[in-house]
Amino acid sequence: MSLKMPTRPRRGRGWCFRGGVVGAAEEIGRATSESQGLGLFVRSLVAMDREAAKNALSGFLNGRGWAASQIEFVNLIVNHLTEHGVMEAARLYESPFTALTPRGPDGLFSTAQVDALLAALAVVRATARAA
């Protein structure tokens, strides 16, 4: 997966990167701890390139016929990854995902499909953590 640095200053978790100035080492250490690792902290700031987010879910999507509501749900995940870089599984049971179905992914996908979707999100997180 590729990460794309924003071309303009971006705020994330109260931080602002301008002109290469990041912040004091203790602040970075605190943010790293709160984000559960430096890789996740950086990913939360730079997010994911849209194509990288799509590629992360391509294994889940490939080879299946999907309903429009299922594709829309997956596109919401791509949008979230593009904005935030990673996603907690619990987020799938909150707005805007529950606008499609109050039961989140359970209302659109089989148990096996939900498990595959969660596994794809876990890989995105693990990739960021390892960075």
Side-chain angles (χ1 to χ4, degrees), residues 10-66:
R10 178 180 172 155
R11 293 190 184 278
R13 296 188 185 228
W15 296 82
C16 186
F17 291 80
R18 293 184 190 272
V21 178
V22 177
E26 63 201 35
E27 293 170 323
I28 294 171
R30 182 174 39 89
T32 298
S33 175
E34 289 174 4
S35 298
Q36 302 172 0
L38 182 60
L40 290 172
F41 172 64
V42 171
R43 177 71 66 83
S44 73
L45 295 173
V46 299
M48 287 180 79
D49 177 74
R50 186 160 198 79
E51 283 305 309
K54 287 180 181 180
N55 288 339
L57 297 173
S58 66
F60 171 74
L61 290 171
N62 288 342
R64 296 183 177 108
W66 298 104

Side-chain angles (χ1 to χ4, degrees), residues 7-9 12 28 30 40-41 45-47 50 58 61 66 68 70 77-79 97 103 105 107 121 125 129:
T7 56
R8 57 187 161 82
I28 294 171
R30 182 174 39 89
L40 290 172
F41 172 64
L45 295 173
V46 299
R50 186 160 198 79
S58 66
L61 290 171
W66 298 104
Q70 292 171 314
I77 295 170
V78 169
N79 292 343
F97 302 97
R103 295 180 50 225
L121 292 176
R125 177 171 288 283
R129 187 173 276 138

Side-chain angles (χ1 to χ4, degrees), residues 14 19 27-28 50 80 83 93 113 116 126:
E27 293 170 323
I28 294 171
R50 186 160 198 79
H80 186 88
E83 180 68 26
Y93 298 90
Q113 290 169 333

